[in-house]
C-alpha cells in the first residue's frame, strides 16, 4: 500500500483515494459542504482546502485531489486557516443569517463550520441577493436564499434516485437550484435531499416550525413500511412522534430511507383506535376491556375450533404473531394465516422465502432477473442499490413483468408466466449472459407469487433457477422480495394453515367461518366475510370498519418488538412513545384474553415471551444476522406446486406507493403525495 504523511504522521492508503480520505484516515477533520462519500465529486464549495507538498504553493481542494505516494498533507498551517476563513466569508456573503427562524438550526453544517473555521467578522457591506422559493412538492420546503450551491441535492436526485428533476441553472451570481419546469419532485427517495442539504435551503415541509432538535427524544428503531427493515431514528416530543430520520446501516439501507418511511408518521396520530369497542344493535359502542373480552369469550367458547380463523397483518411484530399463534393453537384452531395477499410461500426450507443474496450482497451479482416485481415501488432503497450497480456497469438486469421505469436500464423479456416457463430454452443475449454468469440472481416478487397460480409460478421460477445454477457453492442467488414487514417472521414461525386449515382467501368466503380474528389485517378485504369479526389493531381502517369487537393495539413506534426483514435479518424495534389512550401492546392484550378464554399463555412479560419464541424458533435469537451471508446450497428445484400457469401478466401488488398500510392511509402528507403522483394535484407551473 502507498504511504503519505498527514501533518507529519505516516498513513497507509489504498490506490484511488483522495487527499481528503487520507487525511481522515489519519484522524484529521476536514470541513466540507459539497463532498459526500456516496455522491460524485463536485469540488464546488472549496471548504476542504489543504496544503500539499510536492505541489504549487497554494491551498488545494482535498476532495478532488488524488492522493499519491510520498505526499505531505498539511491541514493546520496558517495558509490553510486563512484560506478556509476566506471561503467561509464568501459562502456567507449572500446567506440571510436567519438561524433563529431556520428549521436547520441546531443541526446545521454551516453553523458548525462557521464557528469552527470561519472569521469572527465580515468585511462585506454590499446588499445580499435574494432567490425565489421553488415549489418542490408537499415534502420539501425551500428557502433558496440560504443555498450555497453545493449541488448535493442535484447529484443525489440524478445519481442515486435516478430521477433528474433538480438542476443548477444560470451562471455566476445568478446561479440557483431549481426543479425541471418548476414541477414537484416525484422520486420515492426525494426527501433524502433534506438530510444531504448542509444548510437550511431544503428542509422538511411537514415538520416546519415543529420543534428544535434538543427538544426531541431520539429512539433507534426499525422501519415497517416495507420489508427491508431500514434502520431509522424516531424523534418524539411528549406523546407525539414528530419525525423519522435514517440511520446509517451499510448492510440494509446505507443512509437513505423512502419518503413513506420518513413522512407517514403523521398517520400515527390520526384515525387511531384508543379504546375497546363492541358492536351493539349494529353500531359500535365504546366498551371496557372486560366487556370486550367477555363478548369475545362468549362467541369463541360457543364455536367449534374448525369454524374459527386468524389472519395476521403486515405490520405486526414477531411477539404479537407468536402470542396469537400460541393462543389459537391451544384452542385447537388450524385456520391461521399471515399471508394476507395469498402468496405461495410458507412450506419448505427457510431459504425458499428469503432474499438469500442479502441486500448488500446483491451488489455482487453480475446478472439479475426480476420476476413479477417492481423494486422501485416495493423497495425504493434497494432499487437505489440496483441503480448504483447499473451505473458502475457491474450488473446486467432483465425483467419479466411490468415494463416500468426502474431508474436503470434492463432487458425486457416478457410480461408473464409463459415467458418465465420458456426462458431456459429461449435464445437471446440476456439468457446467454444468465447462463454464463458467475453469480446469477433471480428476484421474485409478490406480483408473481400472490396469484391463483402462484405455486405454479414458483415452480417455474425454481426450475429456471436450478437450470441456471442460481444456487451453487458459495453463492445463493434465489431471492424473494417481500412487501410486508411481518411476512418473514410469520413464515419463520409457521403462521400458516395447519393440515386441513383454511388459507386467507378461503377464510374470507361467506359461510366459511363463524369467528374471524384479525390481527392488524387490513389488506385482505375482511368485509367479504360474514363471520363474527374481532379486530386487534391501531387504526380505523378496513379491518375495524366491519368488526364486531375492536381491541386497540400499539403502533410500531409504541412498543418494543422484533421484526424480520426480507433477507431473514432479525432486528429490534424500540418504543419511542406510549400507546394512545387505553391501547395496549398486542402481546399483552392476547395474554389477558387467553386467561378469559381459559387457556392462559405461559408468559407474563416480554422477556418471557421472547424466551419462549427463541426456544421454539431459534432463528429469532440471531439478532442482526442475515443467514444468506453464509451461502448454504439447497434444492431450489423442489419448490412450488403443480397447477396450470395463467396467461395474465405479472403486476406489482403496489399500485399507490404512498397508501399501502393503515398508518400511511391515515397520513395527510401521504395523501398529498398520492394526489401529486396520480396527477390529481397540480404543482407550481402546471
Amino acid at each position: 500500500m502507498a504511504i503519505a504523511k498527514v501533518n507529519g504522521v505516516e498513513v497507509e492508503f489504498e490506490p484511488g483515494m483522495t487527499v481528503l480520505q487520507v487525511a481522515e484516515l489519519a484522524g484529521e477533520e476536514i470541513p466540507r459542504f459539497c463532498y459526500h462519500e456516496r455522491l460524485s465529486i463536485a469540488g464546488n464549495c472549496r471548504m476542504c482546502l489543504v496544503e500539499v507538498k510536492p505541489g504549487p504553493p497554494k491551498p488545494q481542494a482535498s476532495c478532488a485531489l488524488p492522493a499519491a505516494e510520498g505526499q505531505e498533507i498539511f491541514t493546520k498551517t496558517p495558509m490553510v486557516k486563512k484560506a478556509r476563513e476566506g471561503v467561509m466569508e464568501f459562502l456567507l456573503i449572500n446567506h440571510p443569517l436567519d438561524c433563529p427562524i431556520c428549521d436547520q438550526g441546531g443541526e446545521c453544517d454551516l453553523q458548525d463550520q462557521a464557528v469552527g473555521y470561519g472569521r469572527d467578522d465580515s468585511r462585506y457591506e454590499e446588499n445580499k441577493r435574494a432567490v425565489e422559493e421553488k415549489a418542490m412538492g408537499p415534502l420539501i420546503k425551500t428557502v433558496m436564499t440560504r443555498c450555497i450551491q453545493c449541488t448535493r441535492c442535484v447529484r443525489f436526485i440524478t445519481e442515486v434516485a435516478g430521477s433528474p428533476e433538480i438542476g443548477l441553472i444560470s451562471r455566476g451570481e445568478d446561479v440557483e437550484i431549481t426543479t425541471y419546469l418548476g414541477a414537484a419532485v416525484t422520486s420515492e427517495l426525494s426527501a433524502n435531499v433534506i438530510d444531504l442539504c448542509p444548510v437550511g435551503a431544503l428542509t422538511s415541509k411537514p415538520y416546519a416550525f415543529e420543534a428544535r432538535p434538543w427538544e426531541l427524544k431520539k429512539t433507534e428503531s426499525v422501519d415497517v413500511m416495507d420489508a427491508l427493515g431500514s434502520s431509522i431514528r424516531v424523534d418524539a416530543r411528549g406523546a407525539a412522534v414528530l419525525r423519522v430520520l435514517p440511520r446509517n446501516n451499510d448492510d440494509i439501507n446505507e443512509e437513505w430511507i423512502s419518503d413513506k418511511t420518513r413522512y407517514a408518521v403523521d398517520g400515527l396520530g390520526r384515525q387511531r383506535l384508543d379504546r375497546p369497542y363492541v358492536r351493539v344493535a349494529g353500531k359500535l359502542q365504546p366498551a371496557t376491556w372486560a366487556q370486550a373480552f367477555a363478548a369475545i369469550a362468549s362467541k369463541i367458547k360457543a364455536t367449534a375450533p374448525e369454524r374459527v380463523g386468524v389472519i395476521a397483518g403486515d405490520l405486526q411484530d414477531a411477539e404479537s404473531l407468536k402470542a396469537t399463534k400460541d393462543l389459537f393453537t391451544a384452542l385447537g384452531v388450524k385456520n391461521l394465516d399471515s399471508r394476507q395477499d395469498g402468496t405461495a410461500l410458507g412450506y419448505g426450507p427457510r431459504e425458499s422465502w428469503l432474499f438469500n443474496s442479502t441486500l448488500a450482497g446483491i451488489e455482487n451479482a453480475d446478472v439479475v432477473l426480476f420476476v413479477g416485481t417492481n423494486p422501485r415501488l416495493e423497495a425504493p432503497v434497494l432499487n437505489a442499490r440496483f441503480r448504483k450497480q447499473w451505473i458502475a456497469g457491474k450488473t446486467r438486469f432483465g425483467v419479466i413483468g411490468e415494463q416500468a421505469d426502474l431508474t436503470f436500464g434492463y432487458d425486457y423479456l416478457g410480461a408473464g408466466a409463459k415467458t418465465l416457463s420458456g426462458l431456459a430454452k429461449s435464445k437471446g443475449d440476456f439468457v446467454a449472459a444468465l447462463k454464463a454468469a458467475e453469480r446469477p440472481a433471480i428476484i421474485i416478487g409478490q406480483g408473481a407469487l400472490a396469484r391463483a397460480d402462484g405455486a405454479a409460478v414458483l415452480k417455474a421460477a425454481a426450475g429456471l433457477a436450478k437450470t441456471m445454477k442460481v444456487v451453487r457453492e458459495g453463492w445463493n442467488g434465489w431471492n424473494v422480495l417481500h412487501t410486508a414487514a411481518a411476512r418473514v417472521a410469520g413464515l419463520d414461525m409457521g403462521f400458516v394453515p395447519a393440515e386441513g386449515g383454511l388459507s386467507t382467501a378461503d377464510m374470507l368466503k361467506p359461510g366459511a367461518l363463524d369467528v374471524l380474528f384479525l390481527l392488524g389485517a387490513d389488506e385482505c378485504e375482511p368485509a367479504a366475510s360474514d363471520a363474527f369479526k374481532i379486530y386487534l389493531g391501531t387504526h380505523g381502517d378496513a379491518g375495524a370498519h366491519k368488526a364486531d369487537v375492536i381491541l386497540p393495539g400499539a403502533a410500531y413506534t409504541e412498543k418494543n418488538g422484533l421484526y424480520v426483514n426480507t433477507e431473514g435479518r432479525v432486528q429490534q424495534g424500540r418504543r419511542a412513545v406510549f400507546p394512545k389512550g387505553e391501547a395496549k401492546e398486542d402481546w399483552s392484550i392476547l395474554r389477558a384474553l387467553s386467561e378469559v378464554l381459559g387457556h392462559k399463555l405461559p408468559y407474563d412479560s416480554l422477556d418471557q415471551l421472547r424466551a419462549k419464541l427463541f426456544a421454539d424458533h431459534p432463528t429469532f435469537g440471531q439478532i442482526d444476522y442475515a443467514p444468506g451471508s453464509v451461502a448454504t446450497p439447497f434444492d431450489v428445484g423442489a419448490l412450488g406446486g403443480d397447477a396450470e400457469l395463467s396467461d395474465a401478466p405479472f403486476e406489482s401488488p403496489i399500485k399507490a406507493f404512498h397508501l399501502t398500510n393503515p398508518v400511511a392511509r391515515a397520513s395527510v402528507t401521504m395523501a398529498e403525495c398520492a394526489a401529486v403522483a396520480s396527477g390529481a394535484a397540480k404543482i407550481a407551473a402546471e
Side-chain angles (χ1 to χ4, degrees):
M1 293 178 68
I3 297 177
K5 284 186 177 181
V6 180
N7 295 333
V9 178
E10 288 190 348
V11 179
E12 288 187 347
F13 64 93
E14 297 178 3
M17 296 184 75
T18 63
V19 168
L20 185 150
Q21 292 171 318
V22 172
E24 290 195 330
L25 285 178
E28 296 294 336
E29 181 183 357
I30 305 294
R32 85 291 299 268
F33 291 112
C34 69
Y35 174 79
H36 191 278
E37 55 269 20
R38 301 193 195 277
L39 303 176
S40 62
I41 295 172
N44 296 12
C45 71
R46 321 307 286 181
M47 194 65 207
C48 63
L49 294 174
V50 297
E51 189 176 351
V52 178
K53 295 181 181 178
K58 65 177 183 180
Q60 299 189 65
S62 60
C63 72
L65 183 64
E69 172 74 37
Q71 266 183 342
E72 292 187 65
I73 303 165
F74 302 94
T75 67
K76 298 177 180 178
T77 63
M79 178 195 294
V80 171
K81 182 176 184 294
K82 183 178 180 182
R84 289 176 179 171
E85 288 178 350
V87 169
M88 179 59 69
E89 200 171 0
F90 275 115
L91 290 173
L92 294 176
I93 288 175
N94 288 311
H95 194 81
L97 305 179
D98 55 352
C99 301
I101 63 163
C102 178
D103 274 314
Q104 197 84 342
E107 46 193 6
C108 174
D109 292 351
L110 189 62
Q111 282 183 331
D112 295 341
Q113 293 185 38
V115 171
Y117 303 98
R119 293 168 55 96
D120 59 359
D121 65 339
S122 175
R123 294 169 288 182
Y124 287 88
E125 297 179 353
E126 288 78 12
N127 293 329
K128 294 177 181 286
R129 77 163 186 166
V131 182
E132 288 184 359
E133 313 310 349
K134 306 299 185 294
M136 292 192 178
L139 303 181
I140 305 170
K141 177 187 174 185
T142 64
V143 183
M144 301 312 294
T145 303
R146 299 171 184 157
C147 180
I148 60 171
Q149 289 83 45
C150 71
T151 69
R152 279 187 182 182
C153 56
V154 177
R155 284 175 284 148
F156 171 83
I157 212 74
T158 303
E159 299 167 8
V160 179
S163 181
E165 298 169 314
I166 301 178
L168 194 71
I169 61 170
S170 301
R171 299 179 66 185
E173 68 173 351
D174 296 323
V175 71
E176 58 184 273
I177 302 288
T178 186
T179 57
Y180 183 67
L181 293 180
V185 182
T186 59
S187 168
E188 296 79 15
L189 298 169
S190 66
N192 287 289
V193 300
I194 295 167
D195 296 332
L196 289 172
C197 184
V199 296
L202 304 178
T203 55
S204 172
K205 186 175 285 188
Y207 180 69
F209 307 125
E210 285 288 334
R212 287 299 193 188
W214 53 84
E215 301 175 327
L216 303 174
K217 174 189 172 187
K218 302 169 180 65
T219 306
E220 294 186 351
S221 192
V222 179
D223 173 48
V224 299
M225 294 294 142
D226 56 32
L228 293 192
S230 298
S231 296
I232 59 173
R233 193 186 85 193
V234 181
D235 288 359
R237 183 177 61 189
V241 174
L242 296 185
R243 66 176 180 178
V244 164
L245 298 177
R247 286 189 291 126
N248 199 338
N249 189 334
D250 287 343
D251 291 333
I252 301 174
N253 60 305
E254 298 181 297
E255 59 186 84
W256 321 123
I257 54 174
S258 73
D259 293 348
K260 183 166 53 178
T261 298
R262 187 185 300 266
Y263 285 119
V265 291
D266 64 325
L268 292 168
R270 300 183 71 253
Q271 300 179 13
R272 286 300 300 272
L273 302 173
D274 58 359
R275 64 181 303 172
Y277 288 87
V278 175
R279 191 175 295 277
V280 179
K283 292 186 178 181
L284 287 170
Q285 303 289 343
T288 64
W289 281 102
Q291 290 170 335
F293 286 164
I296 296 170
S298 64
K299 192 68 178 177
I300 290 181
K301 287 179 179 179
T303 306
E306 60 270 16
R307 300 289 295 175
V308 178
V310 182
I311 302 175
D314 294 346
L315 306 185
Q316 297 305 126
D317 57 295
E319 291 87 347
S320 66
L321 291 169
K322 176 62 174 171
T324 303
K325 184 173 184 288
D326 285 353
L327 172 57
F328 284 92
T329 300
L331 293 170
V333 176
K334 295 183 178 180
N335 309 316
L336 297 97
D337 206 346
S338 60
R339 307 164 303 174
Q340 284 193 97
D341 56 7
T343 183
L345 296 168
Y347 304 97
R350 189 180 186 223
E351 292 86 355
S352 66
W353 58 73
L354 295 185
F355 198 97
N356 293 290
S357 299
T358 73
L359 301 176
I362 196 64
E363 293 189 17
N364 297 320
D366 40 16
V367 181
V368 175
L369 173 64
F370 296 108
V371 179
T373 180
N374 181 339
R376 181 174 178 179
L377 298 180
E378 298 168 25
V381 176
L382 177 60
N383 197 66
R385 284 191 189 269
F386 297 142
R387 176 172 171 79
K388 178 169 62 174
Q389 289 303 100
W390 176 71
I391 289 176
K394 296 180 179 179
T395 307
R396 184 172 180 177
F397 298 97
V399 169
I400 299 177
E402 294 178 337
Q403 194 168 3
D405 178 10
L406 300 181
T407 74
F408 53 85
Y410 57 82
D411 295 273
Y412 185 68
L413 307 173
K418 298 297 184 183
T419 302
L420 175 64
S421 61
L423 192 66
K425 298 179 181 178
S426 65
K427 296 181 180 179
D429 291 345
F430 181 83
V431 175
L434 190 63
K435 288 179 180 177
E438 293 182 11
R439 292 177 299 279
I442 292 177
I443 299 177
I444 186 166
Q446 303 313 302
L449 298 175
R451 315 188 334 159
D453 64 342
V457 173
L458 178 61
K459 184 173 183 178
L464 177 66
K466 188 164 187 175
T467 301
M468 299 297 177
K469 298 181 180 179
V470 165
V471 180
R472 58 183 72 175
E473 192 66 38
W475 173 254
N476 190 338
W478 174 259
N479 300 296
V480 176
L481 182 58
H482 292 278
T483 57
R487 186 60 47 77
V488 175
L491 298 178
D492 283 351
M493 69 175 64
F495 203 116
V496 293
E499 186 176 353
L502 302 178
S503 65
T504 295
D506 292 331
M507 281 190 265
L508 294 176
K509 292 178 180 177
L513 299 174
D514 293 331
V515 177
L516 179 61
F517 187 89
L518 300 168
L519 180 64
D522 295 281
E523 318 302 329
C524 61
E525 303 296 334
S529 172
D530 56 2
F532 181 89
K533 301 181 192 67
I534 305 158
Y535 178 77
L536 195 168
T538 59
H539 286 73
D541 207 89
H545 286 170
K546 298 296 182 181
D548 295 286
V549 178
I550 293 176
L551 305 176
Y556 71 102
T557 56
E558 300 164 2
K559 58 186 174 183
N560 296 312
L562 298 177
Y563 298 90
V564 188
N565 74 350
T566 193
E567 62 181 349
R569 186 188 300 269
V570 182
Q571 301 183 93
Q572 296 190 63
R574 294 182 174 85
R575 182 175 62 201
V577 295
F578 287 94
K580 307 297 182 188
E582 298 179 33
K584 309 290 183 185
E585 294 184 23
D586 299 1
W587 77 266
S588 64
I589 295 173
L590 292 157
R591 164 63 180 79
L593 178 60
S594 70
E595 201 156 1
V596 177
L597 292 174
H599 289 78
K600 183 179 176 181
L601 291 173
Y603 29 79
D604 298 320
S605 68
L606 186 63
D607 288 340
Q608 291 176 4
L609 169 52
R610 285 182 176 173
K612 181 76 161 56
L613 176 64
F614 298 164
D616 293 347
H617 309 284
T619 57
F620 285 92
Q622 300 172 329
I623 306 296
D624 202 34
Y625 168 73
S629 58
V630 180
T632 304
F634 74 106
D635 187 7
V636 66
L639 303 181
D642 294 320
E644 185 177 349
L645 289 170
S646 167
D647 290 332
F650 296 143
E651 294 182 355
S652 173
I654 295 180
K655 303 303 179 186
F657 167 75
H658 303 94
L659 306 173
T660 56
N661 59 63
V663 178
R665 286 191 289 270
S667 165
V668 173
T669 306
M670 290 296 97
E672 293 175 355
C673 291
V676 172
S678 66
K682 300 297 182 181
I683 296 294
E686 296 180 288

